[in-house]
Amino acid sequence: MAGEGRYTGIQGTEQVVAMTGKPKLVLVPGLLCSDTLWTAQTEGLADIADIIVADITRDDTMDGMAQRILDGVNGSFSLAGLSMGGYVAFEVMRRAPRRVDRLALLDTGARADTLEQTTRRRDLIELADQGEFKAVSPKLLPLLIHLDRLSDAALVAEILAMADSVGKDAFLRQQNAIMRRADSRPGLSAIECPTLVVCGREDVLTPPDLSVEIAGLISGAELVLVEDCGHLSTMECPEEINEALRKWMTR
């Protein structure tokens, strides 16, 4: 890792304690995403934070995922989640708002699933159950990155490998958790910590209007829209995301 920061992953419920005296930053991946989603951030922000990438592959409820994070990190921390990671972050805020020093919500939404979204998820679950798990990610790919990046062979290969590493069983658990998640909008006005909301301007999976909605419901939230960027903003536009997160961590 670049810099002198400490990077680790949350495994089980053991406590992770900062070793450098820097603030702890917990990064929460999205659906079918691993720590690869945050590679540019774990490297680029290591000089200002002890970085922990949460494991959200073991639980099939938002409650379980959020509690695993809270059990696995000692004391207070900054929290950033992308997409499904944002859903988990909302649950962490409901459970232990005073433990979160700062909150960053990337390419996510606060609403519960629509009927259309749930139907799409069930179709993907059926595809996976029929032995076609490897067909899930290519089917999702046009929703995950800017259309201009579909020809970026290295990026596409990295995304597909990341999804394959998460695997079918974790995918099924994650989809079930997402479908049962609560509408988080009623609790957003209670969030008091410094909050950053980021979205790719061309995100078609969680469009910018959802981020505008979140930022409007959290007092003092800063909204950043990243141009020429789709849903996986941390991988598509790492420099812009790191700049926004650095300002958020140090302001």
Side-chain angles (χ1 to χ4, degrees), residues 124-144:
L124 292 173
I125 288 172
E126 183 177 356
L127 189 64
D129 278 338
Q130 291 173 348
E132 298 294 333
F133 172 68
K134 286 187 177 295
V136 169
S137 295
K139 194 177 183 69
L140 284 173
L141 201 57
L143 301 176
L144 297 179

Side-chain angles (χ1 to χ4, degrees), residues 16-76:
V16 176
V17 182
M19 299 299 291
T20 67
K22 298 170 188 168
K24 293 186 288 292
L25 171 58
V26 177
L27 304 175
V28 192
L31 174 72
L32 278 178
C33 294
S34 66
D35 55 358
T36 298
L37 179 73
W38 298 104
T39 296
Q41 290 68 51
T42 57
E43 295 178 352
L45 301 174
D47 61 315
I48 61 169
D50 286 315
I51 299 175
I52 303 156
V53 178
D55 179 3
I56 59 167
T57 64
R58 304 183 183 195
D59 303 287
D60 62 1
T61 65
M62 292 295 160
D63 290 352
M65 294 172 186
Q67 194 59 52
R68 187 179 295 275
I69 290 172
L70 291 168
D71 290 344
V73 183
N74 202 22
S76 63

